[in-house]
Amino acid sequence: TNQLVLAPRWGLAFTLAGIAFVGAFLLALLRPTGFVRTVPQKTDTTPPHPFVRYLPRIGLALLIAYPLIASLIAQAGGPGVLKLVDTYGIQILIYVLLGLGLNIILGLAGLLDLGFVAFYAVGAYSSALLTTTFGLSFWLVLPLAGILAALWGVMISLPVLRLKGDYIAIVTLAFAEIVRLVLINWVPVTGGYAGISNIPKPTIFGYSLTPGPDSLLALIGLPNSPIYRLAFMYYLVLALALAAYWVTVRLRSLPVGRAWEAMREDEIACRSLGINTVTTKVTAFAAGAFFGGLAGAFFSAHYGFVSPKSFEFLESAMIVAIVVLGGLGSMVGVAIAATVMIGGTELLRELGVFRAIFGPEFDPAQYRMLLFGLAMVMLMVWRPKGLIATREPTVRLKAPVARGAPVAAPAE
């Protein structure tokens, strides 16, 4: 029977209250005058350590070698390699791609979009319908899903042209709810709550990567194992995330990117400078929605099933939290926040240290969202502007050459 059962845990409640009391007491001892607002210091002009310049290359090398690292961890007694590649690799990169898309709308343009999951759903269902109904290839459907999501981004941007702040959030939230209700009630097309299943997997030159006699694995002579398909999907979503990162960096240096950042700082001043805020908002929504559609197309192809349950408001809240916690406008912060939030919630399932503290009956999976929520609150108190609060300047101004100064000869 569907009966609500309440199990009181007074010991756990008093333990958590005691931890909070001790933490507040120690904080009061360490900072007796409270939090003091720091005075902004001058920008440090000293060149960074040479090791810092190689961090992006090191990170890219680790991402490329991650499937091999996952297999070594599995052989050492850790979780299975399939779970490491799928849960801690592919799933995190999907949210990185979604975060990069929302980062254009929220981080660069300053438009609070609480319905970004609608573009995610449009890309997923567009890809699913085009592949299952019309038999199109995934490689053709992938850009089409992004273009269709971008068109929906243009459509949703039209009602918010004269809105700002919280009103944009309300309109976008309503748009996401409308999309979800359409997916539920348009049963002949979307399947309703049952969704769309048996979505074809991506192929390479017509050969499937799933284990079988006619697969690419059998043609090459590799053993039939699902790890090869997962590795291929991992590198595919990694390529999509890197492409989204590169495109966003290039867009920031273009006039449209500088217009986004100008509108984020002050829309009235942006208009007074002659910048067309209408086209600026439309391009921001279209660009961000395009990457959301790509993520949706990859999601449907990877899992082979889509349903309205995967595109609820909680997904939008998760994507917004990734962008805010990472730092508005920071693409590296988005990647770090997605890794921490998605990987952290899954990692809490595996930790058994809480059973040693709260007893053998304690299930960390039931409290992982509560523990992770407390960690996010502490993070926002410690870093109010996100993990990466600083942003690289869009345009760097060079110092003018003094009159009469010798001109450096070109290197031979």
Coordinates of all heavy atoms in Angstrom, one line a residue, residues 44 64 72 95 108 131 146-147 160 200 203 225 244 278 292 296 326 344 353 355 384 391-393:
D44 N 47.6 42.0 -9.8 CA 49.0 41.5 -9.7 C 49.5 41.3 -11.2 O 48.9 40.6 -12.0 CB 49.0 40.1 -9.0 CG 50.5 39.7 -8.8 OD1 51.4 40.5 -9.0 OD2 50.6 38.5 -8.3
I64 N 41.9 12.8 -22.3 CA 42.0 11.9 -23.4 C 42.4 10.5 -22.9 O 41.9 9.5 -23.4 CB 43.1 12.4 -24.4 CG1 42.6 13.7 -25.1 CG2 43.4 11.3 -25.4 CD1 43.7 14.3 -25.9
L72 N 42.6 1.1 -15.3 CA 43.6 0.8 -14.3 C 43.0 0.8 -12.9 O 43.3 0.0 -12.0 CB 44.8 1.8 -14.4 CG 45.6 1.7 -15.7 CD1 46.7 2.8 -15.7 CD2 46.2 0.3 -15.9
Y95 N 26.8 17.2 -18.9 CA 26.5 18.4 -18.1 C 27.5 19.6 -18.3 O 27.1 20.7 -18.2 CB 26.4 18.1 -16.6 CG 25.1 17.5 -16.2 CD1 24.9 16.1 -16.2 CD2 24.0 18.2 -15.9 CE1 23.7 15.5 -15.8 CE2 22.8 17.7 -15.5 CZ 22.6 16.3 -15.5 OH 21.4 15.7 -15.2
L108 N 27.5 35.1 -19.9 CA 28.0 36.2 -20.7 C 26.9 37.3 -21.0 O 27.3 38.4 -20.9 CB 28.4 35.6 -22.1 CG 29.6 34.6 -22.0 CD1 30.0 34.1 -23.4 CD2 30.8 35.2 -21.3
T131 N 15.5 9.9 -36.1 CA 16.2 8.6 -36.3 C 15.3 7.4 -36.4 O 15.4 6.5 -37.1 CB 17.3 8.4 -35.3 OG1 16.7 8.6 -34.0 CG2 18.4 9.4 -35.4
G146 N 20.7 20.5 -33.0 CA 21.2 21.8 -32.5 C 20.5 23.0 -33.2 O 20.2 24.0 -32.6
I147 N 20.3 22.9 -34.5 CA 19.6 24.0 -35.3 C 18.2 24.1 -34.8 O 17.7 25.2 -34.7 CB 19.7 23.7 -36.8 CG1 21.2 23.8 -37.2 CG2 18.9 24.7 -37.6 CD1 21.4 23.3 -38.7
V160 N 10.8 37.9 -24.4 CA 11.6 38.4 -23.3 C 12.4 39.6 -23.7 O 13.3 40.1 -23.0 CB 12.5 37.4 -22.7 CG1 11.7 36.2 -22.2 CG2 13.6 36.9 -23.7
P200 N 18.3 4.3 -32.5 CA 19.5 3.7 -33.0 C 20.7 4.3 -32.4 O 20.8 5.5 -32.2 CB 19.4 4.0 -34.5 CG 17.9 4.2 -34.8 CD 17.4 4.8 -33.5
T203 N 26.7 4.9 -35.6 CA 27.5 3.9 -36.3 C 28.7 4.6 -37.0 O 28.7 5.9 -37.2 CB 26.7 3.2 -37.4 OG1 26.2 4.2 -38.3 CG2 25.5 2.5 -36.8
S225 N 32.9 -6.5 -26.5 CA 32.9 -5.9 -25.2 C 32.2 -4.5 -25.3 O 32.5 -3.7 -26.3 CB 34.3 -5.7 -24.6 OG 34.2 -5.0 -23.3
A244 N 32.5 23.2 -28.2 CA 31.7 24.2 -27.5 C 32.6 25.2 -26.8 O 32.3 26.5 -26.9 CB 30.7 23.6 -26.6
V278 N 18.1 43.9 -29.0 CA 17.2 42.9 -29.5 C 18.0 41.7 -30.2 O 17.8 40.6 -29.8 CB 16.2 43.5 -30.5 CG1 15.4 42.4 -31.2 CG2 15.3 44.5 -29.9
G292 N 22.7 23.2 -26.2 CA 21.7 22.4 -25.4 C 21.1 21.3 -26.3 O 20.9 20.2 -25.9
G296 N 21.3 17.2 -26.0 CA 20.1 16.4 -26.1 C 20.2 15.3 -27.1 O 19.8 14.1 -26.9
G326 N 30.3 27.5 -10.6 CA 31.5 27.6 -11.3 C 32.0 29.0 -11.5 O 33.2 29.2 -11.7
G344 N 30.4 14.3 -7.6 CA 30.3 14.3 -6.1 C 29.0 13.5 -5.7 O 29.1 12.8 -4.7
V353 N 32.2 5.5 4.8 CA 32.6 6.1 6.0 C 31.5 6.6 6.9 O 31.6 6.6 8.1 CB 33.6 7.2 5.7 CG1 32.9 8.4 5.0 CG2 34.3 7.7 7.0
R355 N 28.7 5.1 7.4 CA 28.1 4.0 8.2 C 28.9 3.8 9.5 O 28.4 3.4 10.5 CB 28.1 2.7 7.3 CG 27.2 2.7 6.2 CD 27.1 1.3 5.5 NE 26.1 1.3 4.5 CZ 26.4 1.5 3.2 NH1 27.6 1.8 2.8 NH2 25.4 1.5 2.3
P384 N 31.4 33.5 -2.8 CA 30.1 34.0 -3.3 C 30.1 34.1 -4.8 O 29.0 34.0 -5.4 CB 30.0 35.3 -2.6 CG 31.0 35.3 -1.5 CD 32.1 34.4 -1.9
R391 N 37.6 36.5 -14.6 CA 37.4 36.1 -16.0 C 38.5 36.8 -16.8 O 38.9 37.9 -16.5 CB 36.0 36.6 -16.5 CG 34.9 35.9 -15.9 CD 33.6 36.3 -16.6 NE 33.3 37.7 -16.4 CZ 32.5 38.1 -15.5 NH1 32.0 37.3 -14.6 NH2 32.2 39.4 -15.4
E392 N 38.9 36.1 -17.8 CA 40.0 36.7 -18.7 C 39.3 37.8 -19.5 O 38.2 37.7 -20.0 CB 40.5 35.6 -19.7 CG 41.4 34.6 -19.0 CD 42.7 35.1 -18.5 OE1 43.2 36.1 -19.2 OE2 43.2 34.7 -17.5
P393 N 40.1 38.9 -19.7 CA 39.5 40.0 -20.5 C 39.3 39.6 -22.0 O 40.0 38.8 -22.5 CB 40.6 41.1 -20.4 CG 41.9 40.4 -20.1 CD 41.4 39.2 -19.3

